Amino acid sequence: MADSATTSNRFRKQSLGSNLNVWGDPYLNDNFDLIDSALDGQTSLTLTGGTSTLTSTNYAADQSRERMLIATSTLASNQVVIIPAVAKIYFVVNSLTMAGFTLTIKTASGVGASIPAGGSYIVSCDGTDCAVRRTLDYGSNELTNVGSAT
């Protein structure tokens, strides 16, 4: 049998009896690097407008596996960033010069999350639709949209 990929982060799942004498190095070690990337990795996205699809590759480093997305540059039109249609949480740092345009994170067919100018945002995706769950601004120590205190 052939190896298969895990659903959300595309790690290698070894099939029974495969990869004799090579599972530890390179495959297991590669998986550890990919796990590290999925938990705490970051990727910078130079965005200027239009639609950009994050890279998504089984068993290899890619943009969509990273937990943190850092958007930089100046928008010349509205920007849509397409992510894989799997359940995942991203931390999005919007360092774009918006110039009156918008930044949206979404799957190919779902509802997108509109990312406000400046600051850091938690974006959750349920595999179809995306939403901004919390906004974080560490500079002014402000948390918004977190519910009421009890």
Side-chain angles (χ1 to χ4, degrees), residues 125-143:
C125 180
D126 63 9
T128 303
D129 299 323
C130 297
V132 175
R133 294 296 180 198
R134 293 198 171 31
T135 59
L136 308 172
D137 182 347
Y138 298 113
S140 64
N141 298 316
E142 179 181 343
L143 295 175

Side-chain angles (χ1 to χ4, degrees), residues 25-45:
D25 186 15
Y27 296 138
L28 183 60
N29 293 341
D30 288 348
N31 265 358
F32 285 136
D33 289 338
L34 297 176
I35 291 166
D36 188 54
S37 173
L39 292 174
D40 294 314
Q42 66 182 32
T43 189
S44 292
L45 306 171

Side-chain angles (χ1 to χ4, degrees), residues 3 35 37 58 81 86:
D3 294 346
I35 291 166
S37 173
N58 289 345
V81 175
V86 297

